[in-house]
Amino acid sequence: MATHLSWTGYFLAVGAAVAIYYVIIGIRYYRQDIRALLNSKSRFWERPEKPPPISPPQASQPEETAEPVEVKKQPWQNEALFAKVEELSSQLRISIREAYEKGYEKRDFVFLIQMSIKDFSAVKGTPFREAINNVITLESAKYGFINLSAVELEELWKEVK
C-alpha cells in the first residue's frame, strides 16, 4: 500500500486531472463558443448593471371596427383531450403491469396495448401520441418486459381507427 501519499496530494492530483480533462473537452467540443465569447464586442463583464427600460409597443387598433378574433386552440390546450390522455396513460400502466405479472407473450402484449389505445382513438393524430409511446416504452422497461421498437409502436397506432 502506498503510505507515502497523503490525502492532500491525492485530491490535488485528482483535481488537476479533472481540470485538464474538462479543459480538453471544452477546447474540443466548444471551441467556436469560446472564440465567440472571447471575440464578442459586447463582453458580459462590460455590460451595464441594468438594461435600458423597454417601452411597450403601441398597438394601433381601430376602436369599434375590430371584430373578435377566434383563437384556435392547439390539441395540447384541450382539457378534455388532456384528461383522456391521462386516463389512457394510467390504464396503460395498469395493463403493462398486469401483462408482466401474467407473463404475456409479445403478440398478446401488443394486442392488449392495441385494445387499450383503440378506446382512446382521439389521441391518434395529436402530439400526445408520442407521450403515450413514451409511457409504453418506459413502463415496459421498468418491468424488464417486452420492449417494442419504434416501428412496432407505429404499427400499434395504425390499427387504431
Side-chain angles (χ1 to χ4, degrees):
M1 190 163 147
T3 57
H4 64 280
L5 295 176
S6 67
W7 282 107
T8 306
Y10 171 76
F11 286 123
L12 285 173
V14 169
V18 168
I20 290 170
Y21 171 79
Y22 280 109
V23 166
I24 291 171
I25 294 298
I27 290 172
R28 181 174 176 130
Y29 294 107
Y30 299 102
R31 186 177 309 139
Q32 281 79 21
D33 295 334
I34 293 171
R35 278 189 195 146
L37 180 67
L38 294 176
N39 293 334
S40 68
K41 292 181 181 177
S42 62
R43 299 175 191 250
F44 65 91
W45 56 82
E46 295 175 357
R47 292 187 181 161
E49 292 291 322
K50 290 184 178 179
I54 300 172
S55 62
Q58 299 294 330
S60 59
Q61 292 183 352
E63 291 182 9
E64 293 186 22
T65 59
E67 295 179 16
V69 177
E70 185 176 322
V71 178
K72 183 178 179 184
K73 285 190 172 186
Q74 297 294 328
W76 52 268
Q77 293 173 325
N78 187 340
E79 292 177 16
L81 181 62
F82 189 75
K84 285 200 174 280
V85 169
E86 287 291 322
E87 184 180 347
L88 174 59
S89 65
S90 65
Q91 182 178 342
L92 283 171
R93 286 184 176 95
I94 293 167
S95 298
I96 293 171
R97 184 180 67 230
E98 179 185 318
Y100 170 74
E101 290 170 354
K102 293 183 178 179
Y104 281 22
E105 292 180 13
K106 188 171 186 172
R107 63 183 165 86
D108 296 330
F109 176 67
V110 168
F111 183 71
L112 176 69
I113 299 298
Q114 283 177 340
M115 294 308 293
S116 298
I117 291 174
K118 191 172 272 192
D119 295 338
F120 297 91
S121 61
V123 177
K124 183 177 180 181
T126 66
F128 291 119
R129 179 176 155 179
E130 190 64 34
I132 296 299
N133 287 346
N134 288 340
V135 168
I136 295 168
T137 303
L138 291 175
E139 286 298 311
S140 297
K142 177 178 163 183
Y143 295 108
F145 196 50
I146 300 168
N147 292 323
L148 299 176
S149 67
V151 173
E152 291 169 326
L153 287 171
E154 287 298 317
E155 291 296 320
L156 284 175
W157 289 97
K158 286 182 181 176
E159 297 297 321
V160 177
K161 295 180 182 175

